[in-house]
Amino acid sequence: MTADWSVVDDYIAERLISPQERQHATLDANRAAGLPEIDVSAPQGKFLHLLAAAIGARRILEIGTLGGYSTIWFARALPPDGKIVTVEYEPRHAEVARANILREGVAEKVDLRVGAALDVLPQIEAEGGPPFDLAFIDADKANNPAYFAFAVKLARPGALIVVDNVVRDGAVVDPATRDESGLAARRLFDAVAAEPRVTATAVQTVGTKGWDGFLIARVTA
C-alpha cells in the first residue's frame, strides 16, 4: 500500500507541480550534505504554500528549517516585503539551508536563526516585532507542546498554526505504543484541546512520507 501512496504522490507532483517548484536542486543538496530525508513531500509543500497564500500571510514563523525546503515553499508565497523567521538547531543544517535559500532567490524574505528553539523563541518575543500570520512546527517532537504555546503567543488573532507529524503511523492512539514521537503527539493534542485561544482539527496524510498527519489550529483570541 505504501508503494501505491508514493505513486500517487508522484502523479500529483507531475501533473500539478512544476519542476521549478519541486526544488530538485534543494533536495539534491540536502542529500549530498547527508541531511536526513524528512522534508515534507512536494504535494505537502505545495499545500503549505497555498495555505500561506490563501490567508495573505506576510509574516511566517517556522520551527525546524532543516535544509530549507519548506522554508522556500513558504517564502515563495510571501509578498515582496514579507518575511519568514525560521529556526534551526543544527548549524550544519542551517549552513545548507542558507545556500539553498540563496540559490532559489528568496534570501531577502528569510530570517534564519540558529539555536535551540526554546532559547530563540523568547528572543523573538522580546524583539516585539509584528505578530505572525502563520506558524509551521516541524522540529523535535518532544517539545511540540511548548513550541505550540509560543506560536499562540506570537500569533495574531486569525493566524494559523500547522504542526507536522502528529499521527506517526497511528502511534498517537495506540495505548501500547512506546514511540516517543507518538507519545509527544498525544501530549500535543492534549495541550491544544486545553487551549481556549484556538480552534483546531487534524488531517491524516498518506504518501511518500507514509501514514502521518497535520494538526491545524486557528488562533481566535
Side-chain angles (χ1 to χ4, degrees):
M1 181 63 74
T2 301
D4 294 336
W5 297 341
S6 297
V7 169
V8 173
D9 260 3
D10 291 341
Y11 176 87
I12 293 168
E14 289 168 5
R15 298 309 190 277
L16 301 178
I17 307 173
S18 71
Q20 191 268 342
E21 285 181 307
R22 278 182 266 170
Q23 302 180 55
H24 295 299
T26 295
L27 295 175
D28 288 345
N30 292 352
R31 195 173 299 114
L35 272 60
E37 296 186 35
I38 55 175
D39 307 277
V40 298
S41 67
Q44 290 170 345
K46 185 67 174 283
F47 167 76
L48 295 170
H49 169 93
L50 292 173
L51 197 64
I55 67 169
R58 304 181 67 85
R59 189 165 159 84
I60 298 173
L61 173 66
E62 179 182 53
I63 303 173
T65 314
L66 193 60
Y69 183 73
S70 56
T71 313
I72 293 164
W73 274 109
F74 280 125
R76 289 173 172 170
L78 290 168
D81 61 345
K83 186 72 69 175
I84 175 169
V85 180
T86 183
V87 184
E88 173 54 45
Y89 176 70
E90 293 287 349
R92 173 58 178 155
H93 295 176
E95 179 184 348
V96 174
R98 288 188 197 280
N100 288 332
I101 290 163
L102 182 64
R103 185 190 58 254
E104 295 296 331
V106 294
E108 73 282 356
K109 296 182 182 180
V110 179
D111 178 1
L112 175 54
R113 313 284 184 99
V114 181
L118 292 181
D119 294 331
V120 176
L121 290 168
Q123 296 170 6
I124 295 173
E125 182 181 19
E127 290 168 7
F132 291 97
D133 304 299
L134 187 150
F136 180 55
I137 300 171
D138 190 12
D140 60 295
K141 308 311 171 189
N143 285 313
N144 272 351
Y147 297 153
F148 186 85
F150 262 107
V152 173
K153 286 199 296 182
L154 295 171
R156 65 166 175 83
L160 295 181
I161 301 172
V162 182
V163 188
D164 198 9
N165 308 127
V166 300
V167 173
R168 310 301 296 179
D169 290 319
V172 67
V173 297
D174 181 357
T177 189
R178 295 187 177 182
D179 177 72
E180 287 300 325
S181 294
L183 295 171
R186 198 176 300 166
R187 293 193 296 272
L188 172 67
F189 273 90
D190 290 342
V192 174
E195 173 53 70
R197 292 171 292 178
V198 305
T199 180
T201 190
V203 177
Q204 297 184 79
T205 59
V206 296
T208 58
K209 301 302 176 180
W211 177 23
D212 218 319
F214 290 115
L215 183 146
I216 305 172
R218 181 176 183 268
V219 179
T220 57

